[in-house]
Structures are given as structure tokens and as C-alpha cells.
Amino acid sequence: MFDVCSAHSKNLHHAINNKRSTREPLSTELFRLAAELAAVLDRPTRNFVVGVERVVEQLMELAEHQGTSKKKPNQDSPISCQARSCGVGMPSERGFLSPEIVTVYTVAEQERLPMRALPSRRQRVLAGHSGTVHALAPMQDGRLASASLDNSIKVWDVESGKCLTTLRGHDGDVNTLVSLGHDVLASGSDDEMVKLWNIQAGRCFATLQGHTDAVWALVNLEGHRLASGGWDHCIKVWDTKTCDCITTLMGHTFAVKALVALPRGRLASGSHDKSIRVWTWGDGGGCVATLLGHTSYVNALAALPREWLASGSDDRTVRVWDLEAGCCLFSLEGHDNNVHALVAMTGRWLASGAQDGYIRLWDYENGKCLGTLGEVGQDAVYALAGLSDGRLVSGLLEGEIWLWGS
């Protein structure tokens, strides 16, 4: 086996040298060699090929920087922002390669999003809630829905800043909100209920009962399905046509605080038990993976391209995970308090909002902090949402909603 590996290693080395000289994308030949190596090592081909691609790109970046002096920090970026490798990497015969292999987390050259396209200033304030805004849900036709600890849901016209309607019906704080399309919203509350709302009619048309404690997370799934997570440690999947609970997913040992939909009939959950779980939610659904690494409550999740996942925690960090490899790629550090909200935006960047009152903008593919939004003494950020035009919306402790643009 070692002779075969040695031969393939030489071929891979030759392919890397070709890539250095041509600067072309990875060739089909490299993928063929990786697949052959995967067969020799008896590893899943897809995981191994993805790992080889990442390592080759990292080797290329290292080769380009060999013999050069260390770059000075970018003085335009907040010096408190940094990315740290999580110390796990490509699958190997013994599990994962040593941390030394993955302490470099650079990626292939790509056209970087111009800084002017990132939100950089506050454009508008939407005022009307009398309690913390815990959730935001963009809707069609330039509207935005918000959920608050004042027990209400409001629907806004983003451009004018006018509140179009206020929905009342919950008997407790409204903690979570999601758009189901066609002027329908779903909300979850401390009253243990999930409610479905017709925005045009301005009323609740269905109440989903089954949780035994506060509902804190909702996510819209395909096929008229809705998932809810709560303080009762469980996740329930509902049929929004019949309003029946079709399955209950158990496994977390404390409150489920965040949910996000994933490709291929899966969802991810973040919990106060400090873990992230990945589930299949169809017939015979269950937990298929558990991601550990955060040292405190997991409050927020955001799905990223490439089957990556971002998570925000009370440990003040944002972690980026590779779900295919089952590992943490890096930890983004910079917030001075609990991270409550995350949103992935088009253009390869991620926004995080925290108790420290700041929103940090990250390049999630290399862990760099691109900028910071906020003011000294600003309220804690509890909710974030991205609009289709690239603008960002934040929900604050004292009930205001801020619109950010470039």
C-alpha cells in the first residue's frame, strides 16, 4: 500500500507544481488521483477529494508566501478581530490529520467583495416595539416582520419605516418568527404555542400545540413543513396544512435555541447544552451528527454554501463548521459579549450580532473581519436579517430596529 501511496504522492506533487505554474483551477487529473488514493486508504471518495482540494489550495498559498516577510496587520480592521484554527482537518485513516496540517486556513484566490458593497452606515430606525426585538423575517414587496418581548408582531414597510400592521394573540414574549410565503408568518412564544398568521387578514388562523415550555426557534422546511424548538429540549416538525405534529426529535439535554434548514432533508439545531446537532427530519428521522466545541450556550446558526455552517455562542465566538467533514474550520473572535444573532449574506460574508452592541462582518471563507457596525453605548443586538438588496437589519434590546446600508 505504501508503494502505491508513494507513487500517487509523486503524481500529486507534479499536479501541484503544474497548478503553481498555470494558476488554473484544479484539474480533473488531480481529482482522479485523489479518488484513487481514497480507494487505497478505504475512505469515502467525496470527503477525501474535498479534503485534498482544500489542502492543495493551502499549499499553493503557502508556496506563494515562502521567503516573504510577515505582513503587517491591516490597520483599517479592528485589531480585536481574529480567526483561530480549530485544530482539526481532513479525514485520514486514523480519523483527522494532526492540527499542524490545518493551522493555515487560507483559500484559493477569489474576487473579493468590494468594501463599498458592505453595509457601513445606519440608514433608518424603525421604532414602535416596547420590548426587545428577538426576531426579524424579511417578506415580499419590501416588507419586514419583527417579533418582540412586548408580546406583539409588527409588519413594516422598510423604505418608509411605517408600521403596516400589528399582530397580537400570544400570551407571552414572542421569541421567534419565520415567513412561510404568501403573506403567512409563523411565530413562537413563551406561551408554548406556535401560531400561523394571515398578514392580509391581520389574524391568527391556526395554533400548533405540543411544546411544554417556551418556543424559541422556528425554521421553514420544504413540503409544507415547519420545525420548532424550545425550552422543553425537543424539536417538533409540523405539517402546516393539517397543523399536525408529524415527528418529535429528542437528543438535546437543554433548551433548543436555534434552528436552520440544510440541504438533503436535514436541519441543524443549536442548544444551551453547548452542542449543535444535525438531524434528518423525514420518516425515521433522527440525529446524524453532533458538533462539539463551543464552551457555552449556542444561540444562533446560519447555513453557508459548501455545506458549511456558522454558529454563535455565549462563549463570544462564531464558529464555522464543515458538515461534510464533521469538523470546525475556524473560530472567529472579536465580540466582547454573548453572540445572539447570525445571518449569511450574498457575497461571501457573514454578519454576527452580540450583547456588546456591535455587528461584525466576516469573510467566512478565510475568517477575516471585514468591518464593524455600531456605536459606543449602543443597545445589545438580538436579531439580524438580510434583505434581498444586500442591506442588513438589526433588532435591539430596547425595541428599535436599525436598517444598515452602504
Side-chain angles (χ1 to χ4, degrees):
M1 184 181 88
F2 292 106
D3 290 340
V4 177
C5 287
S6 176
H8 285 309
S9 177
K10 291 178 181 177
N11 289 337
L12 281 171
H13 180 72
H14 178 68
I16 291 169
N17 284 335
N18 286 343
K19 180 174 173 60
R20 288 180 62 183
S21 61
T22 62
R23 300 301 301 165
E24 292 297 321
L26 288 171
S27 65
T28 55
E29 174 67 8
L30 181 57
F31 277 86
R32 183 186 67 77
L33 293 170
E36 289 180 18
L37 272 174
V40 171
L41 296 176
D42 194 27
R43 296 294 303 172
T45 299
R46 182 179 179 186
N47 286 354
F48 193 82
V49 169
V50 170
V52 168
E53 178 184 6
R54 187 173 301 133
V55 170
V56 168
E57 295 294 354
Q58 291 177 359
L59 288 172
M60 292 311 310
E61 294 289 339
L62 283 173
E64 288 178 357
H65 291 87
Q66 275 185 345
T68 61
S69 59
K70 209 171 196 179
K71 288 186 178 180
K72 293 182 179 180
N74 183 353
Q75 299 301 319
D76 295 330
S77 299
I79 58 174
S80 58
C81 295
Q82 59 178 317
R84 179 169 52 82
S85 170
C86 292
V88 285
M90 189 181 74
S92 76
E93 201 170 22
R94 296 184 297 275
F96 289 97
L97 296 178
S98 63
E100 289 79 14
I101 299 298
V102 293
T103 50
V104 178
Y105 38 79
T106 54
V107 295
E109 287 185 354
Q110 297 186 36
E111 183 177 346
R112 184 168 300 280
L113 186 71
M115 183 60 75
R116 67 178 181 277
L118 295 173
S120 57
R121 63 185 181 88
R122 189 181 71 181
Q123 292 183 333
R124 186 168 292 108
V125 175
L126 310 182
H129 282 296
S130 58
T132 301
V133 176
H134 258 190
L136 296 165
M139 302 179 66
Q140 297 173 341
D141 303 324
R143 293 171 299 165
L144 176 75
S146 58
S148 170
L149 302 195
D150 63 11
N151 298 9
S152 77
I153 299 163
K154 290 183 179 291
V155 179
W156 308 82
D157 179 278
V158 174
E159 291 308 319
S160 68
K162 179 182 178 182
C163 178
L164 303 176
T165 188
T166 300
L167 306 173
R168 298 187 182 277
H170 280 295
D171 292 328
D173 299 345
V174 186
N175 303 311
T176 180
L177 189 67
V178 65
S179 172
L180 303 184
H182 306 294
D183 276 341
V184 175
L185 288 172
S187 60
S189 167
D190 275 3
D191 63 12
E192 305 174 6
M193 307 295 180
V194 176
K195 289 183 177 289
L196 306 183
W197 304 84
N198 183 309
I199 303 304
Q200 290 293 338
R203 64 180 182 84
C204 171
F205 67 87
T207 299
L208 313 182
Q209 301 183 50
H211 282 286
T212 58
D213 209 329
V215 179
W216 267 88
L218 290 171
V219 64
N220 188 23
L221 303 173
E222 59 188 9
H224 305 292
R225 299 292 189 262
L226 174 73
S228 59
W231 233 249
D232 54 8
H233 311 176
C234 73
I235 301 164
K236 291 184 176 292
V237 179
W238 309 84
D239 184 323
T240 56
K241 292 292 187 182
T242 65
C243 297
D244 294 327
C245 177
I246 61 174
T247 190
T248 299
L249 304 173
M250 302 292 294
H252 283 297
T253 56
F254 286 97
V256 177
K257 191 70 181 295
L259 294 171
V260 66
L262 299 174
R264 297 186 281 122
R266 298 171 302 159
L267 64 86
S269 58
S271 169
H272 279 195
D273 64 14
K274 308 176 188 177
S275 76
I276 300 162
R277 289 178 179 259
V278 180
W279 312 79
T280 56
W281 53 265
D283 293 338
C287 181
V288 296
T290 299
L291 305 177
L292 301 175
H294 281 297
T295 58
S296 190
Y297 301 160
V298 180
N299 300 316
L301 297 172
L304 305 175
R306 298 188 184 181
E307 297 203 21
W308 289 6
L309 178 74
S311 58
S313 169
D314 274 10
D315 64 14
R316 306 182 181 186
T317 70
V318 176
R319 285 178 175 251
V320 178
W321 307 83
D322 184 333
L323 297 180
E324 194 67 28
C327 66
C328 175
L329 299 175
F330 32 76
S331 178
L332 311 180
E333 300 177 354
H335 285 293
D336 293 329
N337 213 319
N338 307 340
V339 179
H340 292 300
L342 291 173
V343 62
M345 305 290 287
T346 56
R348 216 181 84 183
W349 62 277
L350 173 77
S352 59
Q355 187 83 24
D356 60 12
Y358 290 101
I359 300 167
R360 296 196 183 274
L361 311 178
W362 309 89
D363 183 328
Y364 57 75
E365 288 200 352
N366 62 21
K368 287 187 176 181
C369 183
L370 302 174
T372 302
L373 304 177
E375 302 170 359
V376 176
Q378 178 184 310
D379 287 345
V381 179
Y382 275 87
L384 289 173
L387 303 182
S388 59
D389 60 8
R391 289 183 294 177
L392 187 66
V393 188
S394 59
L396 306 184
L397 175 67
E398 296 300 323
E400 290 185 337
I401 299 166
W402 288 12
L403 174 66
W404 302 86
S406 56

